[in-house]
Amino acid sequence: MEKIRIGNQETLFEIESIRPVSENVMQLVFPDTMPSVWGNITIYTDDGTEATTLTGYETVYRDEGHTVYLSNDGSVYTAPETPEGPGEPPEPYIPTLEELQAAKRREISVACQQIIYQGVNVPLSDGSTDHFALTIEDQLNLFGKQIQVTSGAAQIEYHADGQPCRFYSAEDMQAIITAAMWHVSYHTTYCNAINMWISGCQTVEEVQAIFYGADVPPAYQSEVLQSYLTQIAAIAGGNADGADPA
């Protein structure tokens, strides 16, 4: 189950879900304990990896017990007026296509960051496989390791996810760097293509059908994404889709 931290508070709160419901409103569903104050929302994956931070959602738009809606523009929910006719329910707010597109882009961005930060499994020369997280800090560290490899270092110190630091051969370190950069570049390219797809949608139904991992229609596949999909197809034996072979 994902967790969140509010501002600089030490406490982590479990959440069942977090998703945008309009351009300026975010829905959070809690299984039990909830924050008493609000601020920047830092999201952590199931394994404790920091995924992303949402800023500006500091106003309680609507409180429904374990489901809370926060706004990033100071707006609050106003109950509709009681219908004049008996038995006439209030009309629900229907987001515009542009609002749904903006919300879907944020949803896709969060999903992309989470998958990138989760990292990759890398087979090593001794037959073992190590897992490497790829937060922004990890990515910067690997850029530094590439300099060591290029300079001719025979052994490079680094650590697998959750493991103590150890020496990797230059060959293994290069394999780690290559796999990591491929993972980051592929998902960045794929996310960009989905955003182009979202912008091209003409109906609400088209936007709602999009999810991270979906096959991007050829019309929105960039030349770079097509190259990645060709590589994936070769690795997977001809099954090219939006999945990451790592």
Side-chain angles (χ1 to χ4, degrees), residues 126-153:
D126 63 1
S128 64
T129 298
D130 281 354
H131 181 80
F132 299 91
L134 288 173
T135 65
I136 295 298
E137 182 179 354
D138 293 320
Q139 294 174 46
L140 293 174
N141 285 339
L142 286 174
F143 277 123
K145 299 307 173 184
Q146 180 66 74
I147 295 173
Q148 289 181 258
V149 172
T150 304
S151 67

Side-chain angles (χ1 to χ4, degrees), residues 217-229:
Y220 301 105
Q221 292 179 10
S222 65
E223 180 181 1
V224 178
L225 179 60
Q226 289 175 354
S227 175
Y228 277 121
L229 294 179

Side-chain angles (χ1 to χ4, degrees), residues 105-118:
R105 279 190 286 268
R106 288 194 295 272
E107 173 190 322
I108 293 299
S109 176
V110 170
C112 180
Q113 284 188 337
Q114 288 178 340
I115 289 179
I116 287 176
Y117 289 177
Q118 285 170 8

Side-chain angles (χ1 to χ4, degrees), residues 2 7 39 56-57 75 87 89 123 128 134 139 142 146 150 153 155 164 181 184 189 194 210 214 217 226 241 244-245:
E2 292 181 322
Y57 289 93
S75 60
S128 64
L134 288 173
Q139 294 174 46
L142 286 174
Q146 180 66 74
T150 304
Q155 291 187 311
M181 294 304 102
V184 173
T189 301
I194 292 187
I210 296 175
Q226 289 175 354
D241 56 27
D244 183 349

Side-chain angles (χ1 to χ4, degrees), residues 6 18 21 26 41 60 72 78 84 86 97 103 109 127 141 152 161 174 230 235:
I6 303 301
I18 178 170
V21 295
M26 187 74 63
I41 305 170
V60 177
N72 63 4
T78 302
E84 294 182 2
L97 176 62
S109 176
N141 285 339
D161 195 20
Q174 187 61 66
T230 298
I235 294 171

Side-chain angles (χ1 to χ4, degrees), residues 2-73:
E2 292 181 322
K3 297 181 180 179
I4 63 169
R5 185 192 306 278
I6 303 301
N8 296 322
Q9 297 182 53
E10 295 183 0
T11 305
L12 291 177
F13 297 91
E14 290 190 340
I15 56 171
E16 293 183 356
S17 67
I18 178 170
R19 68 183 185 89
V21 295
S22 70
E23 184 175 3
N24 300 108
V25 178
M26 187 74 63
Q27 179 199 68
L28 296 89
V29 181
F30 296 84
D32 41 54
T33 308
M34 298 172 51
S36 58
V37 296
W38 302 98
N40 292 342
I41 305 170
T42 302
I43 303 173
Y44 296 85
T45 59
D46 291 345
D47 62 1
T49 301
E50 182 177 329
T52 189
T53 298
L54 306 176
T55 60
Y57 289 93
E58 301 177 356
T59 302
V60 177
Y61 176 81
R62 186 174 183 178
D63 188 340
E64 297 180 348
H66 288 294
T67 299
V68 177
Y69 298 82
L70 303 176
S71 68
N72 63 4
D73 61 355

